[in-house]
Amino acid sequence: MKTWILTIVALLTSVVAVAQRREGTCTVQPKVGLNVSTLSDAQKTIGDACFGMEAEYMITNIFSLSAGVMVSNQGGKYDKDGLRYTADLDYANIPIMANVYVLPGLALKAGVQPGFRLKAKMKTDDGTYDVDEFYKLVGMLTPGEEPKVYKFDLAIPVGISYEYENVVLDARYNWGLLKVENIGNAYYNRVFEVTLGYKFELDF
């Protein structure tokens, strides 16, 4: 029995190694997808688009490192104290991931993701406002206080992907670590991201 188990494990390991890209392979992957995001103190989620590019380098047949740039629309919906509004935040995120291929085409991944804010708007039934303008309008600031949505964010992304004939379906959750702004209680980005991409292998 022990011999059979060892044989099966060896065969599975061989299949996984053969099925993955070669050690030293580099690919680029344009990708588009959908975010379902919220802020840790918001009452509802919002859905919006994301898109970008990712490069991956195979260190071994089953382990790789990847890095990319994703333009991501994030935020959350609020409905409290008779006030309804949506925080509309755009980021340029830079996911840096470690990828482990546990089965042919199937990878588990985790890493770190710096993000740089591109836009910060508040949407209400009456229109769309800059964050500074909105908070002053609704009286959410104390005298002398200035609103500030921070320009830098940092998140921990974890996820899973599956590749078939160069087409990649990727799902990951981005857990924000830094406060989004300096108003009220601390709150953080929470984003579930699903993308579809296509890998192009580079020849050097």
Side-chain angles (χ1 to χ4, degrees):
M1 177 63 73
K2 184 177 180 180
T3 301
W4 276 105
I5 293 174
L6 291 175
T7 302
I8 292 171
V9 170
L11 287 173
L12 288 175
T13 303
S14 175
V15 168
V16 171
V18 170
Q20 307 309 326
R21 296 181 183 274
R22 304 180 314 277
E23 176 182 339
T25 298
C26 186
T27 60
V28 294
Q29 178 193 167
K31 54 200 303 188
V32 296
L34 174 70
N35 280 340
V36 178
S37 66
T38 190
L39 298 165
S40 55
D41 71 334
Q43 285 74 48
K44 297 179 181 179
T45 61
I46 62 172
D48 216 315
C50 60
F51 61 92
M53 180 83 70
E54 192 168 71
E56 182 179 8
Y57 180 76
M58 298 299 299
I59 295 176
T60 72
N61 288 346
I62 62 172
F63 177 74
S64 71
L65 293 177
S66 62
V69 177
M70 293 294 297
V71 176
S72 175
N73 183 267
Q74 303 170 192
K77 288 186 177 181
Y78 294 83
D79 187 358
K80 58 183 179 181
D81 302 325
L83 185 64
R84 294 188 303 174
Y85 60 95
T86 299
D88 181 18
L89 309 173
D90 281 2
Y91 287 89
N93 292 322
I94 304 174
I96 302 168
M97 310 290 288
N99 310 285
V100 178
Y101 287 85
V102 293
L103 289 173
L106 182 67
L108 302 179
K109 49 190 63 192
V112 63
Q113 178 176 276
F116 299 90
R117 177 179 60 79
L118 303 175
K119 180 184 73 174
K121 299 284 187 180
M122 292 293 184
K123 295 180 178 180
T124 73
D125 294 338
D126 299 323
T128 300
Y129 304 87
D130 289 331
V131 170
D132 293 8
E133 181 184 7
F134 174 79
Y135 281 143
K136 291 176 180 178
L137 181 68
V138 299
M140 293 177 65
L141 302 174
T142 59
E145 186 180 17
E146 290 293 329
K148 181 180 180 181
V149 175
Y150 297 115
K151 293 183 179 181
F152 181 74
D153 189 42
L154 185 66
I156 296 295
V158 294
I160 187 171
S161 68
Y162 184 72
E163 177 184 351
Y164 180 73
E165 293 187 353
N166 291 15
V167 177
V168 183
L169 179 64
D170 187 300
R172 60 184 72 171
Y173 186 79
N174 302 323
W175 183 273
L177 300 177
L178 301 181
K179 293 192 299 183
V180 172
E181 67 176 21
N182 66 341
I183 302 300
N185 297 323
Y187 59 91
Y188 308 87
N189 281 304
R190 303 285 186 257
V191 183
F192 178 68
E193 176 184 295
V194 178
T195 59
L196 190 66
Y198 189 89
K199 283 186 178 180
F200 296 90
E201 187 170 324
L202 301 179
D203 293 323
F204 295 103

